Each structure stands twice: as C-alpha cells, then as structure tokens.
Amino acid sequence: MYKHATSAQLKLKTGVPQGGVLSPTLFNIYMSDIPTPPEHVSLSTYADDITTLSSHVNTKTAQQNLQPYLNEIVTWTQNNDLQINPDKSTSILFTPDQAEYNTTLNLHINNTLIPTVKHPKVLGVTYDPKLNYAQHTDLTKNKASKTTNMLKALTSTNWGKHKETLITTFKAITRPILEYGSTTWSPIISNTNLNKLQTVQNTALRIATGCTADTNIQHLHDETQVLPLDIHLKLQASQLKQKAQLATHPLHKYTTQQQAARNMKQTIFHNNNYTTNINNASTDITEQDIQRNIKSIHTTVVANYLANRKHNKIINEPAPKINETEQTLPRGTRRTLAQLRTGKSPFLRTYKHKIDPLSQPTPTCPLCNIHEHTTQHLFTCTNIATHLTPRDLWMDPVGVAALLERWTDAIGRI
C-alpha cells in the first residue's frame, strides 16, 4: 500500500512473489521436497542456487553416481513448474592430479551436455580444480581496489575526513570484499595470494593516515588499530568454529567430522593450528557460553598480536595508543604526526634528502646545521627548546602540533 492505494490483485499459480516479506519462507517450503541425494552424492542449496557434488577416486564413477540424481532433479523441477537452464549450469572436476585438469565431464541436463569449466563462481566465491583460489584472489583484489578510490575522494593532503571516519568506511566497503567467504579459503590460500589482498588493505590504511608509500606495514596498522589481514582472517575462522559448537548451528556436524583418509585441503574444523580454539567440555553448551568464548578469542588474538609487534624505531618500544586529543587537530597536521611517528615525512630534511638528493642536498637541521634533521632531533635541537619528547607524538599530539608550528615559523625566518 502506498498513500492508501493498493495494487491490483494477482493470483500466482506457481512460484512466489518477488520481494515479498514471506517470499523467502515460502520459497523454502516450495523447495523442501527436492529429492534427497543418494549415497556418495551431496546437495547444497541457497535459494534457487543448487549445487550437487559427487566424490570418488575415479572420475567416471563419480559421474555415474551423480547423473541419475541430476535426472531426478530435472524431473522434480518439471513437476513443480520450475526450469533448469543447462546453458547457465556448469560442472567442474576438483582434483590434485594436474593431468586431469583438462578433463571434460560427461554430465547432462535434459540431454544437454553441461559445460565443464575451470573457474565456476558459486555464491560469490570463484573455485578452481586444485582449490588454491588464485582466480578468486585476483578477482577479489580488483574488486576491492576500486573501493579505495572512494576513500581517496573523501580526503587529500590537507583536507578531508578524519582518520577514524576513513577507517570506518574501509571496514564498511573494502574489508567485506577482501574477506568474503574467507572461512572457506583462508586456511588454504597461499602466502603469495594473501599478500595480494593485504596490499589493498595497505593502500586503504595509507589513504586514511596520509603516510608515505614507503611506510612500513606495521606502522599503518598501529596508527589505525586494524589487524593485519591474515590475523583478522584467523580471528574470523576461530569465531565461526566456536559458533559451530552450538548444536543448532548449521555447521555443527563438521565439528565432530572425522579427518578423511585422503584429504588434500584442510578446513577450519580440521586445522587446529590455524584457529584459536576453546573446547567446550559440556554437551549442553548455551548461546551465552558461545558469546563469552567468542569475546575471549577476540581478546586472545588481539593480545597476542600486540605482544609480538616489533618496536617502533622512534621510541624503541611498541607504539602506544594515540591520545584522543589528536582528533581535534586538522587533517594536514594529523597526517604529519602520523608520518613523524615512523620517521618518514617531508617535514624532515633527512627524508627529503633520501627521496631526492639532488634537490635537497643536505640532511642536516636547517637551524643548528650540526645534527641530522630527524624526528628525534625535533625534540632536542638547541634552537627550539621544549620539554616534549618523541613519545609525546602519541601521548600529547596537540603539544607536538604546537611544536611543529614553532619549527615552521623558525625555518621560515631563515
């Protein structure tokens, strides 16, 4: 109803109305009597997306097990006024044997051969015969990289949204793309492919902080309080594994599944070294227990990451949390502070000399002309007296901002 007006009534003889509140429930009811797969065949469905699988050491045997079930599904769809389009259906052979990669499967729908492809997409995840997810990585990287352009539109060198707003935007539009379906592929993906995704996150964090392109990766994550991608993927996998211990969870059966005799790829339920685990001794575990354990896993993962960080080279200790007063400063000033905390800022003569020795021939301080113009020297130069120390870059950013203004004024008078 819109402005007290209603649309004309329509009687549906088949299917369910698209967009209706009850439509998902009605569709589940509509699909509930789909034929049960026989032994050695499994069925996975999500709405109208149907995936059938057959596993066997012999490819031909797997096909012989699967084809009769496909015929049953076709008959069922015809009886329920549904249609399967063979041209939009695909088949793939998952195998560790490289000699079988070019095998064409002999599976049919309505006497039409189902095309055999190497990279089918199922619910947004792109698969491949060896299950190394290389194609999925490349597609994900390209898609996620486009969202960083949105972050660039929100900020620049001296203007734009605060770092906190940009990080929230990153978590809303970029990270979901990077981590989509990660509990499936994260225990399997190679370090090379993982690094491809990490570079997108690095780009987003550089935009948010304003740090230079040669800034070390840990500093970007310290500045933004964002976990590196591999740590965050393991955290998500650990939390899902914990949720699955609840008896009513759809994945609960996998928590007690035995390791297969010939399992080439481990899942999060088999690879205990990949996840942070809390085993529940009680068989009647509650939702409250699960939520408490999830929080405990998060605390443990974050604490372990923080404890194993390398020391910040400016203060020779792990970087402390930045005082919230920094949020009162302009974008340009915060950008400079973030750069100084890692010693890589155009504000420093040493950095400008390193980047372009020809246009900036000397790295020495422009005021004392004795010591190198580094982050540490900003606090020790005899020409600019201050009680502040390099640690105040984190603890008193407003005070350091005032110190930088004094430096700017003094250099301008030279």
Side-chain angles (χ1 to χ4, degrees), residues 339-358:
Q339 295 171 346
L340 291 174
R341 285 191 278 260
T342 193
K344 295 183 177 181
S345 172
F347 193 87
L348 303 172
R349 290 289 181 92
T350 50
Y351 182 76
K352 294 173 72 174
H353 174 77
K354 176 183 177 182
I355 298 301
D356 190 357
L358 296 179

Side-chain angles (χ1 to χ4, degrees), residues 211-232:
C211 286
T212 57
D214 57 347
T215 300
N216 72 80
I217 306 307
Q218 180 180 300
H219 180 71
L220 296 176
H221 292 82
D222 287 345
E223 285 286 309
T224 56
Q225 293 187 295
V226 171
L227 289 173
L229 187 59
D230 64 327
I231 304 296
H232 200 264

Side-chain angles (χ1 to χ4, degrees), residues 376-392:
Q376 291 87 342
H377 185 68
L378 296 176
F379 300 89
T380 59
C381 183
T382 56
N383 289 268
I384 303 288
T386 180
H387 67 280
L388 298 172
T389 67
R391 204 171 191 275
D392 287 312

Side-chain angles (χ1 to χ4, degrees), residues 10-163:
L10 178 65
K11 182 181 291 187
L12 296 176
K13 296 182 179 180
T14 184
V16 295
Q18 186 174 355
V21 175
L22 293 176
S23 294
T25 301
L26 293 174
F27 190 80
N28 286 338
I29 296 173
Y30 198 91
M31 296 282 292
S32 62
D33 62 343
I34 190 170
T36 302
E39 189 178 4
H40 303 305
V41 176
S42 60
L43 171 69
S44 298
T45 63
Y46 184 85
D48 61 347
D49 193 293
I50 299 175
T51 302
T52 58
L53 303 99
S54 179
S55 179
H56 200 277
V57 294
N58 186 285
T59 303
K60 292 184 178 180
T61 302
Q63 293 179 94
Q64 292 170 358
N65 292 336
L66 185 57
Q67 184 60 62
Y69 183 57
L70 291 178
N71 297 337
E72 284 188 54
I73 291 179
V74 170
T75 301
W76 177 83
T77 57
Q78 293 172 346
N79 294 336
N80 287 271
D81 295 321
L82 297 173
Q83 290 183 346
I84 297 179
N85 189 339
D87 296 331
K88 293 184 178 180
S89 302
T90 59
S91 62
I92 181 174
L93 175 63
F94 297 109
T95 175
D97 186 356
Q98 191 169 352
E100 295 181 335
Y101 285 178
N102 294 321
T103 300
T104 299
L105 298 175
N106 188 29
L107 295 170
H108 297 78
I109 292 179
N110 279 338
N111 297 320
T112 300
L113 182 67
I114 303 175
T116 302
V117 298
K118 291 185 178 180
H119 301 289
K121 179 177 286 189
V122 181
L123 298 178
V125 177
T126 303
Y127 293 89
D128 54 88
K130 203 172 181 178
L131 283 177
N132 59 22
Y133 296 98
Q135 182 86 351
H136 179 77
T137 300
D138 292 338
L139 293 174
T140 299
K141 179 186 177 182
N142 293 336
K143 184 177 180 180
S145 295
K146 294 177 182 178
T147 65
T148 60
N149 294 329
M150 302 181 193
L151 296 177
K152 292 178 182 178
L154 295 174
T155 188
S156 186
T157 303
N158 294 309
W159 62 268
K161 297 295 182 180
H162 276 301
K163 175 179 66 178

Side-chain angles (χ1 to χ4, degrees), residues 149-363:
N149 294 329
M150 302 181 193
L151 296 177
K152 292 178 182 178
L154 295 174
T155 188
S156 186
T157 303
N158 294 309
W159 62 268
K161 297 295 182 180
H162 276 301
K163 175 179 66 178
E164 292 74 21
T165 301
L166 295 171
I167 292 302
T168 300
T169 305
F170 156 75
K171 291 179 179 179
I173 67 174
T174 307
R175 193 159 72 177
I177 297 175
L178 293 175
E179 300 185 342
Y180 179 79
S182 65
T183 50
T184 298
W185 49 258
S186 63
I188 301 172
I189 193 173
S190 67
N191 289 334
T192 299
N193 286 325
L194 180 61
N195 288 335
K196 291 180 182 180
L197 302 181
Q198 179 66 58
T199 58
V200 180
Q201 177 163 305
N202 296 342
T203 298
L205 300 189
R206 284 194 184 94
I207 295 170
T209 60
C211 286
T212 57
D214 57 347
T215 300
N216 72 80
I217 306 307
Q218 180 180 300
H219 180 71
L220 296 176
H221 292 82
D222 287 345
E223 285 286 309
T224 56
Q225 293 187 295
V226 171
L227 289 173
L229 187 59
D230 64 327
I231 304 296
H232 200 264
L233 292 177
K234 292 177 181 178
L235 172 60
Q236 284 190 323
S238 302
Q239 291 180 328
L240 176 63
K241 191 174 182 178
Q242 180 61 214
K243 292 177 183 178
Q245 292 196 35
L246 198 64
T248 56
H249 195 277
L251 301 179
H252 179 69
K253 64 180 180 179
Y254 296 109
T255 62
T256 57
Q257 188 180 43
Q258 295 297 318
Q259 178 78 39
R262 188 173 180 265
N263 194 350
M264 302 300 294
K265 303 291 183 179
Q266 288 190 325
T267 70
I268 61 173
F269 298 103
H270 292 133
N271 192 345
N272 288 326
N273 293 327
Y274 183 77
T275 54
T276 300
N277 308 296
I278 297 180
N279 295 320
N280 300 286
S282 175
T283 56
D284 55 346
I285 185 171
T286 66
E287 180 69 33
Q288 290 72 26
D289 295 328
I290 296 294
Q291 292 303 320
R292 182 173 60 252
N293 290 341
I294 287 175
K295 291 181 181 179
S296 178
I297 289 173
H298 183 275
T299 301
T300 300
V301 170
V302 173
N304 287 340
Y305 168 71
L306 294 177
N308 290 292
R309 287 180 302 162
K310 295 181 180 179
H311 286 190
N312 179 279
K313 65 180 182 180
I314 302 300
I315 56 177
N316 197 30
E317 64 176 277
K321 185 177 180 180
I322 301 170
N323 193 291
E324 292 182 356
T325 57
E326 189 190 83
Q327 298 180 28
T328 64
L329 298 172
R331 163 72 180 180
T333 303
R334 295 189 68 183
R335 177 176 180 268
T336 300
L337 291 174
Q339 295 171 346
L340 291 174
R341 285 191 278 260
T342 193
K344 295 183 177 181
S345 172
F347 193 87
L348 303 172
R349 290 289 181 92
T350 50
Y351 182 76
K352 294 173 72 174
H353 174 77
K354 176 183 177 182
I355 298 301
D356 190 357
L358 296 179
S359 64
Q360 191 68 35
T362 173

